[in-house]
Amino acid sequence: MIAKIIVDVPSGQTDRTFDYDIPEEWGNTIEIGMRVVVSFGPRKVQGFVVETTNDTTANKKLKPISEVLDPAPVLTQELVDLGFWLSQRTLCFQISAYQAMIPAAMRASYKKVLRLSMDINLDQLPIEVSRWFTHREAITWDEITETAPHHIRLFQQEIKKKRIDVSYHVKDHVTKKKVKVVKLAIEVEQIDEAIQQIGERAKKQQQILAYFQEYPDPISVTHLIERLETTRSTIKGLVAKGYLLEEEIEISRDPYAHKTFSETSPLPLTPMQQKVINPIYDTIEKKKHTTFLLHGVTGSGKTEIYLQSIDRVLRTGKEAIVLVPEISLTPQMVDRFKGRFGSLVAVLHSGLSKGEKYDEWRKIQRNDVKVVVGARSAIFAPFENLGIIIIDEEHEGSYKQEENPRYHARDVAIYRGEYHQCPVVLGSATPSLESYARAKKNVYHLLPLLQRVNELQMPSVEIVDMREELRNGNRSMFSTVLFQKLNDRLEKGEQSVLFLNRRGYSTFVMCRDCGYVVECQHCDISLTYHRTSHSLKCHYCGHQESMPSKCHSCESEHIRFFGSGTQKVEEELTKVLPGVRVVRMDVDTTRKKGAHERLLQTFASGQADILLGTQMIAKGLDFPKVTLVGVLAADSILHIPDFRASERTFQLLTQVSGRAGRHQLPGEVVIQSYTPEHYSITLAGNHDFLSFYEREMMVRKQHGYPPFYFLTLITISHQELTKVIAVAEKITTFLKQELSNQTIVLGPIASPIPRIKDRYRYQCMIKYKTESKLSTLLKEIIVYFKREISQEQLMISIDMNPQMLM
Ligand code: ADP
Ligand code: ZN
Ligand code: ZN
């Protein structure tokens, strides 16, 4: 038998299957979707079996598979096919698609090991090389590159002369958490006899056997020692005599083990909820694929609809995937699913350690769970009987992966929904324009849910013109209205949420005299001021420098940081509202594991008056005592160079406003802005999605943007500017020649961030309606340039349907 294998060598030439022989004695142990180790040229690499067959087109003798890494397949046939589809759709290598589907712990790492060749003596080698081998037989390549980089060349020469051998090892990172347990090797009835045989001299051993007489179940060694105050050697003695067996068993690290969940039961649905859930039930029953767009305002009870749909699916014996954006995957959100489905739920998010993620994934693979709640990559959960896929906040840009494979979770969901003939539910209070347009064309089935449950009113929104404030002499970051309302809440003992968008409103350092802004010398982007270390950092490359005391340009001493970070706002708050208790949530305060949860708990329990934070507090949170939401600078994303800037602004303001008045107490929202007349701000203030949709569609049509056109963004980067421009021009010219004349090819122009990590960046944008040849052409471009100038570090990245235009 022959296995067709996709090898872990991400390159254009190797992006196809390779045939390997399945050693006869292995019989039928090799299955599609397993990981194996194979020889590839001089090295050993990991590979995925995608087909087994009797045929081969190769005419020479095939190499055998060296090693099998999995006792059972890690990819289902469906996922194997999906990987191929993704490689076509997103122009990634098939291996990258497979790697994205499995937990990071299972991705291989490679170790190069060096040994002296046979018949070589130490004195034949240069001393710098030989000294490594005086006490050791083998050393790893990493040791040399890390501790003696200046000797790399010497080593390379010796390898070339074949005086040193290199072998490659594939390492699996999977660490199953195991415990040692002991259990009886004899029958319970035989214990009496055993105790007698052991005799009085081994009292301790007798005691252990007596324990097993009472509790015959396996017990972990540590427990047994604790419980009987015995020792490891006593247990070992019994094992040696053949009365007990010792073994290791796999246990799960359950990140939620310490928590208890209060059980919830389904709520009787409101008539409006009932109306939108019926079509979903219908597809579940008829085993039919439909993509639904559940357009439900904040607080309309979408989550309850998800829960009850899942319940229906579980009753048919099938499984469910729920995607939630990383930042709304809060403990509160998880509780709602765990509360309803208990231990049937696995959770996958980036806060888990590699090991924990692996364990959650194993629960899915072993079918121990039926529901997975997770961020983007959970869409690849290896369920085999999917009954529903739900994507909450479907408009979120984070569902698109910004590195290879550049897939959008929504597309993958629909692929899987078709495969399993099950519904896909996209939910949002502010659907993406693309999705809403598809719903209007009946490609998706629109389910509107436009009122809050329990007749709760949408919060009233006041938009404050900050220019006016300045004219009236208010120089603080809080408008008079916001300040008064914050004060009022303090007096009443109610809570407020303050939202600050960090992006575009960050703490850059500027000279007040000449306007000079300190930028990263590698990335052409302004550096961010960090108060704690009094230094400047680049958020793209990590470059750090100390805060200058003088302007580099005009030598003025009036150089200081500008704009407000959350820290600055916090300071300001405590100044203007003495005694106020603030919980600040941003990347800095939530870096530690569990910090996120702890901060929210502090706020939820009423130990703070104001929750101040960035994007991460914009959604999903639900606090009964919050009656005021303030947005400090609504325009902060409006000026990002991206055609989705208005859409993002509308979505964000709507989400943030949705945090107020979700319970008995009515809510108020104050939005501060320097461009209060912009439609994305006024319409968010009126909770008017439909008008926003109409308005924004006109803009998109006028400028030829999605959903009227598809976009593909090509970014070219290299250390030399002239090279970048030359290649970018070649590509643009080639595309203009080859593509139809309805298609628009823009560029080449410098990217919005023209340099990152010393690499210059140029881009070219393709706008098209239909272009059947596009994928083929783009692949040709990659192959051509890789071959022509492969050594020269040229990078071409292609993003079909980009979410970010940076
Ligand atoms: P969304 O996800 O649309 O923002 P939620 O599902 O969070 O809305 O619902 C908002 C609130 O209404 C929650 O507190 C939820 O428990 C409650 N709720 C939802 N459906 C019902 C119902 N049918 N009856 C009573 N309360 C409900
Ligand atoms: Zn200056
Ligand atoms: Zn930088």
Side-chain angles (χ1 to χ4, degrees), residues 519-525 527 537-543 755-758:
E519 290 189 340
C520 173
Q521 47 196 327
H522 312 284
C523 303
D524 292 343
I525 190 152
L527 291 174
K537 263 189 212 155
C538 171
H539 279 194
Y540 283 85
C541 75
H543 168 81
R755 195 166 53 133
I756 294 183
K757 295 187 193 171
D758 287 322

Side-chain angles (χ1 to χ4, degrees), residues 267-270 273 296-306 308 336 392 449 453-454 622 659 662-663:
L267 300 167
L269 295 180
T270 64
Q273 283 174 316
V297 297
T298 53
S300 60
K302 292 187 292 295
T303 312
E304 190 60 35
I305 290 182
Y306 303 153
Q308 298 199 18
R336 291 184 76 175
D392 191 30
L449 195 59
V453 270
N454 300 333
D622 195 352
R659 296 305 108 221
R662 294 169 66 91
H663 298 266

Side-chain angles (χ1 to χ4, degrees), residues 2-54:
I2 286 148
K4 291 192 177 290
I5 290 171
I6 296 284
V7 293
D8 183 13
V9 183
S11 81
Q13 286 83 33
T14 53
D15 190 28
R16 61 177 179 88
T17 59
F18 290 87
D19 290 354
Y20 284 87
D21 193 47
I22 303 176
E24 202 148 319
E25 60 274 22
W26 291 4
N28 295 330
T29 50
I30 299 285
E31 289 175 51
I32 291 171
M34 280 182 176
R35 294 173 310 148
V36 292
V37 177
V38 293
S39 308
F40 195 80
R43 18 179 193 165
K44 286 265 164 70
V45 299
Q46 198 188 64
F48 288 85
V49 178
V50 296
E51 203 184 324
T52 54
T53 165
N54 287 315

Side-chain angles (χ1 to χ4, degrees), residues 87-99:
S87 74
Q88 300 292 314
R89 282 275 299 223
T90 70
L91 302 180
C92 70
F93 302 125
Q94 224 170 316
I95 188 68
S96 315
Y98 295 141
Q99 300 288 25

Side-chain angles (χ1 to χ4, degrees), residues 511-516 550-556 558-559:
C511 169
R512 301 295 158 103
D513 285 336
C514 76
Y516 166 82
K550 272 189 201 146
C551 171
H552 297 314
S553 176
C554 75
E555 307 228 316
S556 154
H558 294 136
I559 183 158

